[in-house]
Amino acid sequence: MKMNHRRFLGLLGLVVGAGIILTGCPKSASIVIFEDSALDAAVRDAIGKPFGFLTQEDCKELLALDARNMSITSLEGLENCTNLISLDLDTNNISDISPLSNLINLVYVNLDSNEITNIAPLAGLVNLDGLSLFDNQVGDISALVTNALNGGLGENDFVILDEDTLDEDALQDVELLEAAPPLGFGVNVILATGA
């Protein structure tokens, strides 16, 4: 027996409507939209919610996100994942990391092999213990010194940088980060090279 198109749409509307009535429709202010569909899929996979609206409460459940090699270009929406502790975005197409700026619970961040030039959003992540920025185009690392001055990066923490892209000021900042306290911060800085 064939169901006509109009009847099918009507039935589908009833099912969706019943679902909203039974589960409730989240307030639009609490709905989180991830601009990048690959990032959306990674978050949904990590919190075990493949369908339905993602809310701010859902995003707060996310403690660790492994989204390596997913062709992600935008981090918009990730700013709602305020309890995130570990973030691995290795090998994507990310250039703007500003959505990370208020994720102060982050302890470990891997941003290797992206298109990042500006790391200023990392300055306030005062719980960082480990950061990897290899294979980007980061020349200025003053944000990492600011981070250390704010009580973030310190003794026995580590940072991996691409030596080939650092400017002259950055090399001085590396010395400051590496120097033992009280003259520096005691950070283990690893200067990697692609050659």
Side-chain angles (χ1 to χ4, degrees):
M1 180 167 100
K2 289 185 178 179
M3 184 182 291
N4 70 33
H5 184 68
R6 186 176 286 165
R7 190 171 179 190
F8 174 75
L9 289 177
L11 183 59
L12 180 62
L14 283 173
V15 170
V16 170
I20 289 173
I21 290 169
L22 293 174
T23 62
C25 184
K27 296 175 188 150
S28 61
S30 72
I31 294 174
V32 174
I33 305 293
F34 288 91
E35 185 176 290
D36 189 291
S37 60
L39 180 59
D40 182 78
V43 169
R44 288 177 177 280
D45 186 52
I47 64 174
K49 187 173 183 180
F51 306 107
F53 294 107
L54 282 176
T55 65
Q56 290 174 340
E57 289 304 312
D58 293 328
C59 290
K60 288 178 182 176
E61 292 177 20
L62 187 62
L63 301 179
L65 181 64
D66 183 343
R68 291 175 285 171
N69 200 21
M70 296 185 71
S71 300
I72 294 168
T73 59
S74 172
L75 297 181
E76 287 298 321
L78 201 60
E79 65 274 10
N80 293 284
C81 301
T82 53
N83 292 321
L84 201 56
I85 295 170
S86 175
L87 178 62
D88 192 340
L89 295 167
D90 189 344
T91 315
N92 281 288
N93 302 310
I94 299 160
S95 58
D96 178 11
I97 60 170
S98 57
L100 304 183
S101 63
N102 292 317
L103 300 183
I104 59 170
N105 290 312
L106 279 170
V107 173
Y108 170 76
V109 179
N110 181 358
L111 296 168
D112 290 349
S113 300
N114 278 283
E115 300 169 7
I116 299 163
T117 57
N118 180 0
I119 61 168
L122 304 178
L125 304 184
V126 296
N127 287 305
L128 274 183
D129 289 343
L131 171 67
S132 192
L133 289 163
F134 179 69
D135 194 21
N136 282 284
Q137 296 301 312
V138 177
D140 177 1
I141 63 163
S142 58
L144 301 184
V145 174
T146 302
N147 180 288
L149 285 168
N150 289 333
L153 292 166
E155 286 189 90
N156 301 316
D157 294 341
F158 75 90
V159 173
I160 301 172
L161 300 169
D162 192 329
E163 184 175 22
D164 298 334
T165 64
L166 299 180
D167 61 28
E168 281 186 36
D169 291 337
L171 295 175
Q172 291 176 349
D173 288 338
V174 166
E175 290 178 13
L176 179 60
L177 288 169
E178 288 180 317
L183 301 175
F185 301 99
V187 177
N188 296 314
V189 179
I190 300 161
L191 296 178
T193 181

